[in-house]
Amino acid sequence: MKKLFTCTAVLGVLFWMSLPVQAHFQTIYTPESALERGGAIELKIFFTHPFKAGHTMDMHKPEEFFVLRKGRKTDLMDSLKPITWTSLDNSGKAYEASYRLRGMGDNVFCLTPAPYYEGEEDSYIQQITKVVVNTAGFPTDWDSEIGLPTEIVPLDKPYALWTGNVFRGVVKSDGKPVPHAEIEVEYLNHEPLMDQNAFAQEAEVEAPQDAFVTQTIKANVNGEFTYALPEEGWWGFCALGTGPDTEYKGKALSQDAVIWVQARDME
């Protein structure tokens, strides 16, 4: 029996080693980050592998969801509604929310999800995520340090990027830069279909090799990083294990910082 168990375990490890490299990304999605005027927007919140629209993980009730506008924080937990998000591989528990944008300026949406148990690694992941939506081009809060346990503070407006521009940010933990932080970068390669709570089947681009699916970059000694955006659409940046908490329910916790930015083609 012991021999059979060992063989099964080895086969399991080999199976997971054979899978394409993909990164987990907590996602807050809305189609447009730069709007001409205010009004109601819809947000879809799911935990997935964005480049390949791969396995979507079940989300449990988030710990915190709010928006920062002109320095004022508004709790949005009551706006969350459970949904099921469908990837190309499976379906997972997710959330949606509606929010009415008022006036001009930046709206920084921030989510602290419940830690997710990753069984293959016998550990937890918690990706503290933010996305900025602007109305009328009037800048207010896009570069604010929110005060999250860990966060990426943008050095460029996340909603005002042409394709080919660079996006720069600073990785912080408890307000302090994280030297040499490791950052994963992925492209949202399948369009999220808002009315179907699902990814489109068709991919926008093809990766020549797995290293292009999840790209890995490093911050400098001051926690700063730069990445040139090669394609129109949404790009996710995830700084790994930069949060102050390293344990949850007696197991290892990777407390990550995520930000999403949107690039547009010149037309």
Side-chain angles (χ1 to χ4, degrees), residues 172-201:
K172 293 201 170 184
S173 178
D174 273 345
K176 299 178 181 177
V178 181
H180 312 300
E182 181 176 331
I183 302 149
E184 293 183 330
V185 185
E186 276 208 23
Y187 179 57
L188 188 59
N189 194 27
H190 293 252
E191 180 187 2
L193 304 175
M194 298 293 281
D195 58 340
Q196 299 178 32
N197 292 335
F199 284 119
Q201 290 287 323

Side-chain angles (χ1 to χ4, degrees), residues 35-38 69 101-105 107 133-138:
L35 300 168
E36 289 295 330
R37 60 185 62 84
R69 173 175 163 74
L101 304 173
R102 302 180 187 281
M104 301 186 298
N107 303 267
V133 179
N134 173 269
T135 53
F138 185 68

Side-chain angles (χ1 to χ4, degrees), residues 23 25 50-51 183-187 211-217 225-230 235-238:
F25 267 86
F51 190 93
I183 302 149
E184 293 183 330
V185 185
E186 276 208 23
Y187 179 57
F212 293 82
V213 173
T214 303
Q215 295 190 294
T216 302
I217 60 175
F225 67 88
T226 301
Y227 182 88
L229 303 163
W235 289 84
F237 296 82
C238 177

